[in-house]
Amino acid sequence: MNTEILRLENVTVGYGSQKIVSSIDASISENELVAVLGKNGVGKSTLINSILGFQKILNGSILIENQSIQKLSAQEIAQEIAVVLPRLSIVPKIKVSELVAMGRLPYHKVLKKISNEELSLVDEVLEMVGIYDLKTHYANQISEGQLQLVMIARALCQDAKLVILDEP
C-alpha cells in the first residue's frame, strides 16, 4: 500500500467569507497522478494556494504526511511539496542551471553553497527533462515553453514527495 502524502478533510477555500469550493475530501498517495479539472474561475488555483499555505482555508484541515499544514514552516512545506505555477511575472536574469538549482533551497541554511552531489542532480534533471542544452542560457532569454520546462526541472530537483503543476 502506498503512503499517503496529502489529505484534505472537509476543506473549504475562498476569499474572506466568500466560499469558492467547499467540503472537499481527498487524499493523494505516493506514485499517484491526480488531475483536478474544471472551468476557469471555479477555484482550482485557490485550492492549490491553500494546499501550499499561501492562502488560509475557510474550513477543514489540510494534512501533509498526517501533519497539519498550519503547524509546518514554509521550509518544511517546501521539502514536501514542489510547485510549478503557470507563468512567472518576472523572469530572473540567471542561468538556467542556477534557476533549477534553486529547487535545493529548502534543504539549505542561509548562504550554504550547493554541493557537488546537488550539481550532479541539476545536470541529471536537466537531461531528464530534455533541456540540458539550455544549461548555460539565461532564463530571461528563453521561450515561455522552455521556461516552463526549466520550472518543471526545478520542481524535480527539489526532490519533494508531491509535485503540483498549476495549468501545466
Side-chain angles (χ1 to χ4, degrees):
M1 185 162 154
N2 290 339
T3 305
E4 183 180 78
I5 297 169
L6 178 71
R7 185 169 65 242
L8 308 176
E9 296 176 342
N10 196 34
V11 171
T12 298
V13 298
Y15 301 96
S17 61
Q18 180 186 1
K19 296 176 183 177
I20 295 177
V21 181
S22 47
S23 304
I24 302 168
D25 288 306
S27 67
I28 299 173
S29 297
E30 65 182 12
N31 300 321
E32 212 172 20
L33 176 64
V34 177
V36 178
L37 304 173
K39 295 179 182 177
N40 289 341
V42 297
K44 298 179 303 293
S45 294
T46 303
L47 177 61
I48 288 171
N49 287 333
S50 297
I51 290 169
L52 296 170
F54 297 160
Q55 185 170 327
K56 190 176 178 190
I57 60 173
L58 302 180
N59 188 46
S61 309
I62 298 176
L63 302 151
I64 299 173
E65 292 197 318
N66 293 316
Q67 294 183 57
S68 172
I69 195 165
Q70 295 168 330
K71 294 181 180 177
L72 298 174
S73 69
Q75 182 177 12
E76 289 170 320
I77 293 169
Q79 289 175 354
E80 300 293 330
I81 303 175
V83 64
V84 178
L85 299 172
R87 64 196 142 286
L88 292 177
S89 57
I90 298 172
V91 180
K93 185 179 179 180
I94 63 173
K95 291 183 179 175
V96 164
S97 60
E98 295 167 337
L99 185 53
V100 172
M102 290 177 87
R104 301 303 304 155
L105 289 178
Y107 305 98
H108 286 240
K109 302 236 185 267
V110 177
L111 300 176
K112 181 185 174 215
K113 187 177 177 186
I114 191 165
S115 70
N116 288 334
E117 183 179 290
E118 289 172 313
L119 288 172
S120 293
L121 177 62
V122 168
D123 286 347
E124 181 182 323
V125 169
L126 287 168
E127 187 70 43
M128 181 183 356
V129 177
I131 55 170
Y132 187 84
D133 59 314
L134 297 177
K135 179 180 176 175
T136 59
H137 289 68
Y138 285 94
N140 65 335
Q141 297 175 344
I142 60 177
S143 74
E144 283 196 35
Q146 290 170 320
L147 183 60
Q148 190 72 352
L149 290 172
V150 170
M151 298 312 292
I152 290 169
R154 183 197 51 81
L156 294 173
C157 197
Q158 195 169 326
D159 199 28
K161 293 181 176 89
L162 178 66
V163 177
I164 296 176
L165 299 116
D166 189 0
E167 296 185 30

